[in-house]
Structures are given as C-alpha cells and as structure tokens.
Amino acid sequence: MNRQSRFSQFLESRNLRSTAGRRVMLQEISALGERHFSAEDLVARFRRRGRAVSRATVYRTLEHLLAGGLVRRLSLGHKHSLYESNLGRRHHEHLICLRCGEVTEFGSGTLERLLDGVCRRRRFVAQRLSIQLFGMCARCAEEGRAKRN
Ligand SMILES: [Zn+2]
Ligand SMILES: [Zn+2]
C-alpha cells in the first residue's frame, strides 16, 4: 500500500477528515524521503512555497501521524524534536551531532540481538526501540581539534 492510501485509511480509522492541509502535509513528508525534519522545517517549507498550512495543522497532524506509526520522532531534549517518515524504512538508530545538528543513521543486528536477550531474560515486552547517541560528528570533532592546536 502506498503512503497516500495508508494515510487516508488512517484518517478514516480515527474519524478525521482528509483535509487539504493534511494531504499537503503527507505529500511534503513523502518528498522529504529519508531526511529528518522538525515541525518548524515543515512550517518554513510551506511558507516559502505559499501553501496555506497553519502551524497548528502541522503540529496536530504530526501527532496523528506519530500515533499511527507513519512517522517516527527523535526527541533531542528541550522540547526539540525531529521527525522522519516511517514507511518502508528498516529500523535504525541515530547519531546526533550537538554542534552542527547532523543526524546519521546506523543499524546493528548485534545490538538488536543483545536487546532482545535483555528483554527475554526480564520478560519485558518492548514496543519501541530508540537509541540516540549525542556527541560530535567527525567533521566537528576535527574542527575542534584544529582550533585547540
Ligand atoms: Zn557536526
Ligand atoms: Zn532516521
């Protein structure tokens, strides 16, 4: 099933109308592909292109998409969050640069097996897994070293 029909079905299941604003939102998120974006990035993109999607619609629709598992959220602290489309993506984790904000993805079968083992031993039923490492990307670390020397 494609994104658009997944979304329509999802809106129906929640008794939400498929409004123009919501449809435009989904198109925009699809266009972003595998990129990570903030709610304000979306607001700015709509502004630039003169699309009348209000900030309130952006925030509310993101909450719906999140609840329906169509997007994933990375919490960066201080109420700052990034989102990414969750459709057709393999599970992955994130490295986040605190200096330039670069977000890099990685996946590890070893890590997943390790965590599965932890859950099995504790009979814990995990529903979500999200690992975020905060630090400095290679470029920023290099620049930091250059400045100190
Ligand atoms: Zn960086
Ligand atoms: Zn990601």
Side-chain angles (χ1 to χ4, degrees):
M1 205 186 318
N2 65 28
R3 283 167 213 261
Q4 200 68 48
S5 53
R6 272 275 302 265
F7 186 60
S8 310
Q9 200 182 55
F10 169 69
L11 289 176
E12 258 169 50
S13 72
R14 305 201 139 208
N15 285 324
L16 296 167
R17 278 180 311 126
S18 177
T19 61
R22 287 173 181 152
R23 280 195 304 274
V24 168
M25 273 272 297
L26 196 78
Q27 277 160 19
E28 198 62 36
I29 291 173
S30 291
L32 283 163
E34 301 192 349
R35 268 183 283 168
H36 303 86
F37 57 88
S38 68
E40 289 303 316
D41 289 338
L42 285 181
V43 171
R45 283 169 76 98
F46 292 136
R47 287 254 161 86
R48 270 203 303 278
R49 281 193 267 128
R51 315 263 342 218
V53 182
S54 71
R55 175 174 271 116
T57 298
V58 168
Y59 278 85
R60 260 190 314 228
T61 307
L62 278 173
E63 287 305 317
H64 290 309
L65 293 172
L66 198 62
L70 281 84
V71 299
R72 186 176 171 200
R73 174 159 61 193
L74 314 179
S75 296
L76 305 186
H78 305 293
K79 291 190 176 173
H80 183 53
S81 299
L82 289 178
Y83 298 84
E84 66 186 322
S85 171
N86 210 11
L87 294 180
R89 304 280 335 260
R90 254 186 72 79
H91 185 80
H92 60 269
E93 312 304 338
H94 297 95
L95 305 176
I96 298 159
C97 180
L98 292 168
R99 196 152 170 260
C100 71
E102 186 185 76
V103 179
T104 318
E105 301 182 339
F106 73 96
S108 162
T110 309
L111 183 63
E112 281 173 34
R113 279 191 297 279
L114 176 83
L115 294 172
D116 277 346
V118 170
C119 291
R120 258 200 315 277
R121 280 193 299 280
R122 292 168 194 255
R123 295 197 195 162
F124 183 80
V125 183
Q127 292 191 338
R128 258 180 304 159
L129 165 63
S130 174
I131 294 175
Q132 294 161 42
L133 296 180
F134 295 92
M136 261 196 259
C137 71
R139 203 175 343 109
C140 288
E142 189 55 49
E143 276 170 26
R145 262 196 300 278
K147 254 181 217 146
R148 276 198 302 277
N149 291 335

